[in-house]
Amino acid sequence: MNTYTKYWFLDGFNLFNKLSRSAIMRICETLEMKNMDKGKTIQLLKNDKKSVFFLKKGTIKIVDEHNNTVKHLVKEGNIFGELSLFDNSDTIEEQAIALEDCIICYIKVHDMEKIMQEHDSLKNGVFKIYGLRIKKLERRLSDLLYKDSATRITEFITDYIKEFGENKKDRIIAKNLLSHKDISHLTNTSRQTVSNVMSSLRKDKIIDYSSQFVSMPIKRKT
């Protein structure tokens, strides 16, 4: 795939906003690009294949290989696999699973490290992403300690709709990509509790959902 196609791919990633066109073109020379079908898996943090991935289209879930629990979600325009820049061991094993058809680019970790050394804005951007991920994990721990199951599930669902959805008339509508099991992992609850809470939320008209979509009304400022 030619360099100009890869340049189109990186367009829209906030991580590269402060880089010049020539710098981005040089980065594109080291990128590989591929389609990732729904349900396909990428093994992360393997020493012989460590890479940083850029998600142009679709949604990815990051799963712990050992217990198959969902750790976090990645939406288009974001990166994943960045932990390999900070962890040189094989002690942490994750896999990325496509929740829908995706388009990704990837770069070998040692190439990414070289580029980060040349461009402070890129290095700072990666650190910021890593920091935000840590904050999300800290929030989940805090929620587990101080919020009940129903509150955790409700807040997760509404946050998911806001982050992954689009405004359409009077509602925010997102693709329903997660199973009840996925949600239970992300909220440290059980599948039955997730099912009960979501049914209550729909009954109270806080959310609505089908096999394809999940939505909530847009709250208008008065």
Side-chain angles (χ1 to χ4, degrees):
M1 191 164 292
N2 66 53
T3 301
Y4 287 98
T5 301
K6 294 175 184 177
Y7 181 86
W8 160 82
F9 184 99
L10 293 183
D11 183 47
F13 281 81
N14 293 333
L15 194 59
F16 302 104
N17 280 351
K18 295 184 180 179
L19 298 185
S20 66
R21 178 184 173 89
S22 60
I24 296 176
M25 293 296 282
R26 287 197 299 274
I27 294 172
C28 290
E29 293 173 1
T30 65
L31 285 177
E32 297 293 336
M33 187 174 180
K34 66 181 291 187
N35 293 317
M36 188 176 175
D37 295 334
K38 179 180 179 180
K40 292 295 183 180
T41 299
I42 295 175
Q43 305 299 123
L44 305 178
L45 300 174
K46 298 294 186 182
N47 275 334
D48 58 337
K49 297 180 180 178
K50 282 187 175 181
S51 300
V52 177
F53 299 85
F54 304 87
L55 181 59
K56 180 67 174 180
K57 179 183 177 183
T59 308
I60 295 283
K61 66 177 179 181
I62 305 299
V63 176
D64 188 302
E65 280 191 345
H66 297 295
N67 53 27
N68 204 36
T69 58
V70 182
K71 300 178 75 172
H72 63 89
L73 305 176
V74 184
K75 64 182 293 187
E76 59 186 51
N78 287 276
I79 69 173
F80 60 97
E82 78 285 349
L83 186 57
S84 57
L85 292 165
F86 306 97
D87 193 312
N88 294 319
S89 69
D90 269 338
T91 56
I92 301 176
E93 295 184 348
E94 296 178 337
Q95 56 185 7
I97 301 175
L99 292 172
E100 55 185 329
D101 291 345
C102 298
I103 303 176
I104 63 171
C105 260
Y106 58 94
I107 182 172
K108 296 299 182 184
V109 164
H110 66 272
D111 290 327
M112 186 68 174
E113 288 172 337
K114 289 178 183 178
I115 296 169
M116 287 169 61
Q117 291 300 319
E118 295 174 4
H119 302 283
D120 286 339
S121 64
L122 182 59
K123 182 193 299 184
N124 293 336
V126 171
F127 279 129
K128 182 178 180 180
I129 290 169
Y130 187 61
L132 289 173
R133 193 137 305 156
I134 295 296
K135 285 185 177 181
K136 283 188 176 182
L137 291 173
E138 290 176 341
R139 178 189 170 186
R140 283 177 63 182
L141 178 58
S142 176
D143 288 351
L144 182 60
L145 292 172
Y146 300 110
K147 295 179 181 178
D148 60 29
S149 297
T151 301
R152 295 201 303 274
I153 293 168
T154 300
E155 290 184 350
F156 173 82
I157 294 296
T158 54
D159 286 347
Y160 171 84
I161 295 171
K162 291 174 184 176
E163 182 176 358
F164 290 87
E166 296 181 356
N167 290 4
K168 294 185 178 181
K169 294 185 178 180
D170 59 344
R171 301 189 71 81
I172 308 173
I173 302 175
K175 294 179 181 177
N176 191 356
L177 300 174
L178 298 174
S179 67
H180 287 186
K181 182 178 180 180
D182 290 334
I183 297 170
S184 70
H185 289 163
L186 289 161
T187 56
N188 297 100
T189 57
S190 69
R191 278 181 289 182
Q192 186 60 52
T193 302
V194 171
S195 180
N196 291 341
V197 171
M198 290 189 67
S199 295
S200 295
L201 291 174
R202 179 160 61 181
K203 182 179 179 181
D204 294 337
K205 297 184 179 180
I206 296 172
I207 66 168
D208 194 14
Y209 59 89
S210 65
S211 60
Q212 292 183 308
F213 299 100
V214 57
S215 68
M216 61 186 288
I218 296 174
K219 291 184 178 180
R220 304 294 184 184
K221 293 182 177 180
T222 56

Short mmCIF file of all heavy atoms in Angstrom, two decimals, residues 84-125:
data_model
loop_
_atom_site.label_atom_id
_atom_site.label_comp_id
_atom_site.label_asym_id
_atom_site.label_seq_id
_atom_site.Cartn_x
_atom_site.Cartn_y
_atom_site.Cartn_z
N SER A 84 3.11 -1.91 25.19
CA SER A 84 4.37 -2.53 24.80
C SER A 84 5.53 -1.53 24.76
O SER A 84 6.69 -1.91 24.79
CB SER A 84 4.24 -3.21 23.44
OG SER A 84 3.82 -2.30 22.45
N LEU A 85 5.18 -0.22 24.74
CA LEU A 85 6.22 0.81 24.79
C LEU A 85 6.77 0.99 26.20
O LEU A 85 7.86 1.53 26.38
CB LEU A 85 5.65 2.16 24.31
CG LEU A 85 5.28 2.26 22.83
CD1 LEU A 85 4.41 3.49 22.60
CD2 LEU A 85 6.53 2.31 21.96
N PHE A 86 6.01 0.52 27.19
CA PHE A 86 6.38 0.74 28.58
C PHE A 86 6.71 -0.55 29.33
O PHE A 86 7.23 -0.50 30.43
CB PHE A 86 5.23 1.45 29.32
CG PHE A 86 4.77 2.71 28.66
CD1 PHE A 86 3.66 2.72 27.81
CD2 PHE A 86 5.46 3.90 28.84
CE1 PHE A 86 3.24 3.88 27.19
CE2 PHE A 86 5.05 5.07 28.21
CZ PHE A 86 3.93 5.06 27.39
N ASP A 87 6.41 -1.70 28.73
CA ASP A 87 6.62 -2.98 29.41
C ASP A 87 7.44 -3.89 28.49
O ASP A 87 6.99 -4.27 27.42
CB ASP A 87 5.28 -3.63 29.73
CG ASP A 87 5.41 -4.80 30.69
OD1 ASP A 87 6.28 -5.66 30.46
OD2 ASP A 87 4.64 -4.86 31.67
N ASN A 88 8.65 -4.22 28.92
CA ASN A 88 9.54 -5.05 28.10
C ASN A 88 9.45 -6.53 28.42
O ASN A 88 10.19 -7.34 27.86
CB ASN A 88 11.00 -4.59 28.29
CG ASN A 88 11.23 -3.19 27.76
OD1 ASN A 88 10.72 -2.84 26.71
ND2 ASN A 88 12.00 -2.40 28.49
N SER A 89 8.56 -6.89 29.33
CA SER A 89 8.46 -8.29 29.75
C SER A 89 7.32 -8.98 29.03
O SER A 89 6.56 -8.38 28.27
CB SER A 89 8.24 -8.38 31.26
OG SER A 89 6.95 -7.89 31.59
N ASP A 90 7.20 -10.29 29.27
CA ASP A 90 6.10 -11.07 28.73
C ASP A 90 5.05 -11.37 29.80
O ASP A 90 4.19 -12.24 29.63
CB ASP A 90 6.61 -12.40 28.17
CG ASP A 90 6.98 -12.28 26.70
OD1 ASP A 90 6.47 -11.38 26.04
OD2 ASP A 90 7.79 -13.11 26.22
N THR A 91 5.14 -10.65 30.93
CA THR A 91 4.26 -10.97 32.06
C THR A 91 2.82 -10.53 31.83
O THR A 91 1.90 -11.08 32.41
CB THR A 91 4.77 -10.31 33.35
OG1 THR A 91 4.88 -8.88 33.14
CG2 THR A 91 6.15 -10.85 33.71
N ILE A 92 2.63 -9.51 30.99
CA ILE A 92 1.28 -9.03 30.70
C ILE A 92 0.92 -9.48 29.29
O ILE A 92 1.59 -9.16 28.33
CB ILE A 92 1.20 -7.50 30.80
CG1 ILE A 92 1.59 -7.02 32.19
CG2 ILE A 92 -0.20 -7.01 30.45
CD1 ILE A 92 1.64 -5.52 32.34
N GLU A 93 -0.16 -10.24 29.17
CA GLU A 93 -0.58 -10.74 27.87
C GLU A 93 -2.01 -10.32 27.59
O GLU A 93 -2.91 -10.60 28.38
CB GLU A 93 -0.43 -12.27 27.82
CG GLU A 93 1.02 -12.73 27.92
CD GLU A 93 1.16 -14.23 27.76
OE1 GLU A 93 0.12 -14.93 27.81
OE2 GLU A 93 2.30 -14.70 27.61
N GLU A 94 -2.18 -9.62 26.49
CA GLU A 94 -3.49 -9.13 26.10
C GLU A 94 -3.76 -9.51 24.65
O GLU A 94 -2.83 -9.78 23.88
CB GLU A 94 -3.56 -7.60 26.24
CG GLU A 94 -3.41 -7.08 27.66
CD GLU A 94 -3.44 -5.57 27.72
OE1 GLU A 94 -3.14 -4.92 26.70
OE2 GLU A 94 -3.75 -5.03 28.80
N GLN A 95 -5.02 -9.50 24.29
CA GLN A 95 -5.38 -9.67 22.89
C GLN A 95 -6.44 -8.65 22.52
O GLN A 95 -7.24 -8.24 23.36
CB GLN A 95 -5.86 -11.09 22.61
CG GLN A 95 -7.02 -11.56 23.46
CD GLN A 95 -7.37 -13.01 23.21
OE1 GLN A 95 -6.66 -13.72 22.48
NE2 GLN A 95 -8.45 -13.48 23.80
N ALA A 96 -6.40 -8.23 21.28
CA ALA A 96 -7.37 -7.28 20.76
C ALA A 96 -8.35 -8.03 19.87
O ALA A 96 -7.94 -8.78 18.97
CB ALA A 96 -6.67 -6.18 19.96
N ILE A 97 -9.64 -7.85 20.13
CA ILE A 97 -10.68 -8.54 19.37
C ILE A 97 -11.56 -7.51 18.67
O ILE A 97 -12.03 -6.56 19.31
CB ILE A 97 -11.53 -9.43 20.28
CG1 ILE A 97 -10.65 -10.47 20.98
CG2 ILE A 97 -12.63 -10.13 19.47
CD1 ILE A 97 -11.39 -11.33 21.99
N ALA A 98 -11.77 -7.68 17.37
CA ALA A 98 -12.60 -6.75 16.61
C ALA A 98 -14.07 -6.98 16.91
O ALA A 98 -14.60 -8.08 16.73
CB ALA A 98 -12.33 -6.93 15.12
N LEU A 99 -14.75 -5.95 17.39
CA LEU A 99 -16.19 -6.03 17.66
C LEU A 99 -17.02 -5.79 16.40
O LEU A 99 -18.22 -6.04 16.39
CB LEU A 99 -16.57 -5.03 18.75
CG LEU A 99 -16.02 -5.33 20.15
CD1 LEU A 99 -16.31 -4.18 21.10
CD2 LEU A 99 -16.62 -6.62 20.69
N GLU A 100 -16.36 -5.28 15.36
CA GLU A 100 -16.96 -5.09 14.05
C GLU A 100 -15.81 -5.06 13.05
O GLU A 100 -14.64 -5.09 13.44
CB GLU A 100 -17.77 -3.78 14.02
CG GLU A 100 -16.98 -2.55 14.42
CD GLU A 100 -17.85 -1.31 14.50
OE1 GLU A 100 -18.84 -1.21 13.75
OE2 GLU A 100 -17.53 -0.42 15.30
N ASP A 101 -16.10 -5.00 11.77
CA ASP A 101 -15.04 -4.93 10.77
C ASP A 101 -14.22 -3.66 11.00
O ASP A 101 -14.78 -2.57 11.16
CB ASP A 101 -15.63 -4.91 9.36
CG ASP A 101 -16.28 -6.24 8.98
OD1 ASP A 101 -16.02 -7.24 9.68
OD2 ASP A 101 -17.03 -6.28 7.99
N CYS A 102 -12.89 -3.81 11.02
CA CYS A 102 -12.00 -2.70 11.35
C CYS A 102 -10.92 -2.51 10.28
O CYS A 102 -10.61 -3.42 9.52
CB CYS A 102 -11.30 -2.96 12.69
SG CYS A 102 -12.41 -3.10 14.11
N ILE A 103 -10.39 -1.31 10.26
CA ILE A 103 -9.19 -1.01 9.46
C ILE A 103 -8.13 -0.51 10.42
O ILE A 103 -8.38 0.42 11.20
CB ILE A 103 -9.46 0.06 8.38
CG1 ILE A 103 -10.60 -0.37 7.46
CG2 ILE A 103 -8.20 0.32 7.56
CD1 ILE A 103 -10.99 0.71 6.44
N ILE A 104 -6.97 -1.13 10.38
CA ILE A 104 -5.89 -0.75 11.30
C ILE A 104 -4.57 -0.56 10.55
O ILE A 104 -4.38 -1.08 9.45
CB ILE A 104 -5.67 -1.82 12.41
CG1 ILE A 104 -5.23 -3.15 11.80
CG2 ILE A 104 -6.92 -1.99 13.26
CD1 ILE A 104 -4.79 -4.18 12.81
N CYS A 105 -3.71 0.24 11.16
CA CYS A 105 -2.31 0.32 10.76
C CYS A 105 -1.49 -0.05 11.98
O CYS A 105 -1.94 0.12 13.12
CB CYS A 105 -1.94 1.73 10.30
SG CYS A 105 -1.91 1.93 8.50
N TYR A 106 -0.28 -0.54 11.76
CA TYR A 106 0.57 -0.86 12.90
C TYR A 106 2.03 -0.60 12.57
O TYR A 106 2.44 -0.59 11.40
CB TYR A 106 0.37 -2.32 13.35
CG TYR A 106 0.65 -3.36 12.29
CD1 TYR A 106 1.89 -3.98 12.19
CD2 TYR A 106 -0.35 -3.73 11.39
CE1 TYR A 106 2.13 -4.94 11.22
CE2 TYR A 106 -0.12 -4.69 10.42
CZ TYR A 106 1.13 -5.30 10.34
OH TYR A 106 1.36 -6.24 9.37
N ILE A 107 2.79 -0.34 13.62
CA ILE A 107 4.21 -0.02 13.49
C ILE A 107 4.96 -0.79 14.58
O ILE A 107 4.47 -0.91 15.71
CB ILE A 107 4.43 1.51 13.62
CG1 ILE A 107 5.90 1.86 13.43
CG2 ILE A 107 3.90 2.05 14.93
CD1 ILE A 107 6.13 3.38 13.35
N LYS A 108 6.11 -1.32 14.24
CA LYS A 108 6.90 -2.06 15.21
C LYS A 108 7.32 -1.13 16.35
O LYS A 108 7.58 0.05 16.14
CB LYS A 108 8.14 -2.65 14.55
CG LYS A 108 7.83 -3.69 13.47
CD LYS A 108 7.07 -4.88 14.03
CE LYS A 108 6.81 -5.92 12.96
NZ LYS A 108 5.99 -7.05 13.47
N VAL A 109 7.38 -1.69 17.56
CA VAL A 109 7.66 -0.89 18.74
C VAL A 109 8.99 -0.16 18.63
O VAL A 109 9.09 1.03 18.97
CB VAL A 109 7.64 -1.78 20.01
CG1 VAL A 109 8.30 -1.08 21.18
CG2 VAL A 109 6.21 -2.13 20.38
N HIS A 110 10.03 -0.84 18.14
CA HIS A 110 11.34 -0.17 18.09
C HIS A 110 11.33 1.00 17.11
O HIS A 110 12.02 2.01 17.32
CB HIS A 110 12.45 -1.17 17.74
CG HIS A 110 12.35 -1.76 16.37
ND1 HIS A 110 11.63 -2.90 16.12
CD2 HIS A 110 12.88 -1.38 15.18
CE1 HIS A 110 11.72 -3.20 14.83
NE2 HIS A 110 12.47 -2.29 14.23
N ASP A 111 10.51 0.90 16.04
CA ASP A 111 10.38 2.03 15.10
C ASP A 111 9.61 3.17 15.75
O ASP A 111 9.95 4.35 15.57
CB ASP A 111 9.67 1.59 13.82
CG ASP A 111 10.52 0.65 12.97
OD1 ASP A 111 11.76 0.81 12.97
OD2 ASP A 111 9.95 -0.23 12.31
N MET A 112 8.57 2.83 16.50
CA MET A 112 7.79 3.85 17.19
C MET A 112 8.64 4.57 18.23
O MET A 112 8.54 5.81 18.38
CB MET A 112 6.57 3.21 17.86
CG MET A 112 5.59 4.19 18.48
SD MET A 112 4.74 5.20 17.24
CE MET A 112 3.57 6.09 18.28
N GLU A 113 9.48 3.84 18.94
CA GLU A 113 10.34 4.45 19.95
C GLU A 113 11.31 5.45 19.32
O GLU A 113 11.56 6.53 19.87
CB GLU A 113 11.10 3.35 20.70
CG GLU A 113 10.22 2.54 21.64
CD GLU A 113 10.94 1.34 22.24
OE1 GLU A 113 11.94 0.87 21.63
OE2 GLU A 113 10.52 0.86 23.30
N LYS A 114 11.84 5.11 18.16
CA LYS A 114 12.75 6.02 17.45
C LYS A 114 12.04 7.31 17.06
O LYS A 114 12.58 8.41 17.23
CB LYS A 114 13.32 5.33 16.21
CG LYS A 114 14.31 4.22 16.48
CD LYS A 114 14.77 3.59 15.18
CE LYS A 114 15.72 2.43 15.43
NZ LYS A 114 16.12 1.78 14.15
N ILE A 115 10.82 7.17 16.54
CA ILE A 115 10.06 8.34 16.11
C ILE A 115 9.70 9.21 17.31
O ILE A 115 9.75 10.45 17.24
CB ILE A 115 8.79 7.89 15.36
CG1 ILE A 115 9.17 7.15 14.09
CG2 ILE A 115 7.90 9.09 15.04
CD1 ILE A 115 8.01 6.45 13.42
N MET A 116 9.35 8.59 18.42
CA MET A 116 9.01 9.34 19.63
C MET A 116 10.21 10.13 20.15
O MET A 116 10.05 11.23 20.69
CB MET A 116 8.49 8.40 20.71
CG MET A 116 7.09 7.87 20.44
SD MET A 116 6.59 6.51 21.55
CE MET A 116 6.69 7.32 23.15
N GLN A 117 11.41 9.60 19.99
CA GLN A 117 12.60 10.31 20.41
C GLN A 117 12.86 11.55 19.55
O GLN A 117 13.41 12.54 20.02
CB GLN A 117 13.83 9.38 20.35
CG GLN A 117 13.82 8.27 21.39
CD GLN A 117 13.80 8.81 22.81
OE1 GLN A 117 14.47 9.78 23.13
NE2 GLN A 117 12.99 8.18 23.67
N GLU A 118 12.40 11.50 18.32
CA GLU A 118 12.61 12.62 17.39
C GLU A 118 11.54 13.70 17.54
O GLU A 118 11.77 14.85 17.17
CB GLU A 118 12.60 12.11 15.95
CG GLU A 118 13.76 11.16 15.63
CD GLU A 118 13.62 10.56 14.24
OE1 GLU A 118 12.67 10.95 13.52
OE2 GLU A 118 14.45 9.71 13.87
N HIS A 119 10.36 13.32 18.06
CA HIS A 119 9.24 14.27 18.12
C HIS A 119 8.64 14.27 19.53
O HIS A 119 7.90 13.35 19.90
CB HIS A 119 8.17 13.90 17.08
CG HIS A 119 8.68 13.86 15.68
ND1 HIS A 119 8.91 15.00 14.94
CD2 HIS A 119 9.03 12.81 14.89
CE1 HIS A 119 9.35 14.66 13.74
NE2 HIS A 119 9.44 13.34 13.69
N ASP A 120 8.92 15.32 20.27
CA ASP A 120 8.43 15.41 21.65
C ASP A 120 6.91 15.43 21.72
O ASP A 120 6.31 14.89 22.67
CB ASP A 120 8.99 16.66 22.34
CG ASP A 120 10.46 16.52 22.68
OD1 ASP A 120 10.94 15.37 22.76
OD2 ASP A 120 11.13 17.56 22.87
N SER A 121 6.25 16.07 20.74
CA SER A 121 4.79 16.15 20.78
C SER A 121 4.17 14.76 20.67
O SER A 121 3.15 14.48 21.32
CB SER A 121 4.27 17.03 19.65
OG SER A 121 4.56 16.48 18.38
N LEU A 122 4.79 13.90 19.88
CA LEU A 122 4.29 12.54 19.74
C LEU A 122 4.53 11.76 21.04
O LEU A 122 3.63 11.04 21.51
CB LEU A 122 5.00 11.84 18.58
CG LEU A 122 4.56 10.41 18.26
CD1 LEU A 122 3.08 10.35 17.94
CD2 LEU A 122 5.38 9.85 17.11
N LYS A 123 5.71 11.93 21.61
CA LYS A 123 6.02 11.26 22.88
C LYS A 123 5.05 11.69 23.97
O LYS A 123 4.50 10.86 24.70
CB LYS A 123 7.45 11.58 23.31
CG LYS A 123 7.88 10.87 24.60
CD LYS A 123 9.17 11.47 25.16
CE LYS A 123 10.32 11.33 24.21
NZ LYS A 123 11.59 11.84 24.80
N ASN A 124 4.81 13.00 24.06
CA ASN A 124 3.89 13.52 25.08
C ASN A 124 2.46 13.02 24.85
O ASN A 124 1.72 12.75 25.80
CB ASN A 124 3.91 15.04 25.08
CG ASN A 124 5.25 15.60 25.55
OD1 ASN A 124 5.99 14.93 26.28
ND2 ASN A 124 5.57 16.82 25.14
N GLY A 125 2.09 12.90 23.57
CA GLY A 125 0.76 12.41 23.24
C GLY A 125 0.55 10.97 23.67
O GLY A 125 -0.51 10.61 24.20
#
